[in-house]
Amino acid sequence: MAVQHPAESSTIVDVLEKILDKGVVIAGDITVGIADVELLTIKIRLIVASVDKAKEIGMDWWENDPYLSSKASEGNRTLEEENKELMERIRLLEENVGSK
């Protein structure tokens, strides 16, 4: 006979809902050194939040990453086109200055 624990499952769901709604930040630093000489420092930052909460606090890096968003790759193409146009304008300006 299986024992059910409905209170535990609802508690876990409630905790998870609060974490995703409010967000949780876990931060820590690890420093490795010998004789008071710091050799290595590792900074660890972990944020657990819903996508909506992350956007609300200004974290939307996944929207600008071309590997994760097709919109970001479209933006990169626009930048490439703008860069080509600017390079052409520079070339024409340099030709004009050189011919005088």
Side-chain angles (χ1 to χ4, degrees):
M1 183 163 123
V3 178
Q4 295 181 351
H5 298 284
E8 286 182 21
S9 63
S10 66
T11 303
I12 292 170
V13 170
D14 291 340
V15 169
L16 184 59
E17 184 179 339
K18 285 181 184 180
I19 287 173
L20 291 176
D21 184 44
K22 302 290 182 189
V24 173
V25 176
I26 301 170
D29 297 336
I30 300 170
T31 303
V32 177
I34 297 176
D36 293 332
V37 176
E38 187 176 309
L39 300 174
L40 175 69
T41 299
I42 300 172
K43 295 184 181 254
I44 299 170
R45 306 293 183 261
L46 172 67
I47 297 176
V48 179
S50 67
V51 171
D52 293 335
K53 185 65 175 180
K55 284 183 178 182
E56 184 180 317
I57 61 174
M59 294 184 62
D60 59 354
W61 53 266
W62 62 88
E63 291 182 346
N64 301 318
D65 189 330
Y67 293 106
L68 300 174
S69 172
S70 60
K71 291 179 184 176
S73 60
E74 290 171 8
N76 282 346
R77 276 187 243 120
T78 303
L79 288 175
E80 288 174 7
E81 291 169 8
E82 183 179 349
N83 189 29
K84 286 178 185 176
E85 290 173 11
L86 290 172
M87 293 302 290
E88 179 62 21
R89 289 178 64 186
I90 290 171
R91 187 187 64 76
L92 291 172
L93 287 170
E94 286 174 345
E95 284 178 2
N96 287 339
V97 169
S99 66
K100 290 183 180 181

